[in-house]
Amino acid sequence: GYKLSKNPDSITFYDILNALDNNILSNDNDIEDEGGLRASVNSCIWDELSTLMSGFTKGMTLGQFIELHKKGKPEPEPMYYI
C-alpha cells in the first residue's frame, strides 16, 4: 500500500498522471512536417483534447474521486457459508 503525504482533497488527477508519466498530458508535438495533414490534425483535434483533459484532471481531486466511488459502490453480496 501507499501512504499519502498530502490530503486527498489537495491532490489532483493531473498531479497523479504527471507523477506516473510526465508526458501524458503534454502539448508538445514532435512533428517534422509542420505544413502537412498530421500538423493540422494535431492542432485542430489533439491540442484541443489535450487542453480539455488537462483542465478536467486539474479540476478533480483524489478526495472527490473517493467520494464518487463510495456513492456508486454497490453493497457487497452477502457471504453464505455451508
Side-chain angles (χ1 to χ4, degrees):
Y2 294 93
K3 185 174 182 179
L4 299 176
S5 63
K6 297 193 297 188
N7 184 319
D9 290 324
S10 66
I11 302 170
T12 65
F13 268 85
Y14 185 84
D15 298 330
I16 294 168
L17 291 174
N18 275 326
L20 297 173
D21 179 355
N22 62 357
N23 291 323
I24 198 163
L25 296 174
S26 170
N27 273 340
D28 294 336
N29 294 320
D30 188 17
I31 301 173
E32 294 176 14
D33 180 15
E34 287 294 327
L37 179 61
R38 186 173 186 188
S40 295
V41 169
N42 279 336
S43 67
C44 294
I45 297 173
W46 297 118
D47 289 349
E48 185 67 26
L49 284 174
S50 180
T51 301
L52 291 171
M53 294 225 357
S54 182
F56 176 78
T57 57
K58 286 179 180 177
M60 178 175 268
T61 66
L62 183 57
Q64 291 170 325
F65 180 77
I66 291 168
E67 288 305 313
L68 287 171
H69 176 71
K70 286 179 182 177
K71 289 179 184 176
K73 188 175 181 181
E75 291 294 320
E77 302 249 347
M79 293 290 281
Y80 297 102
Y81 297 97
I82 299 177

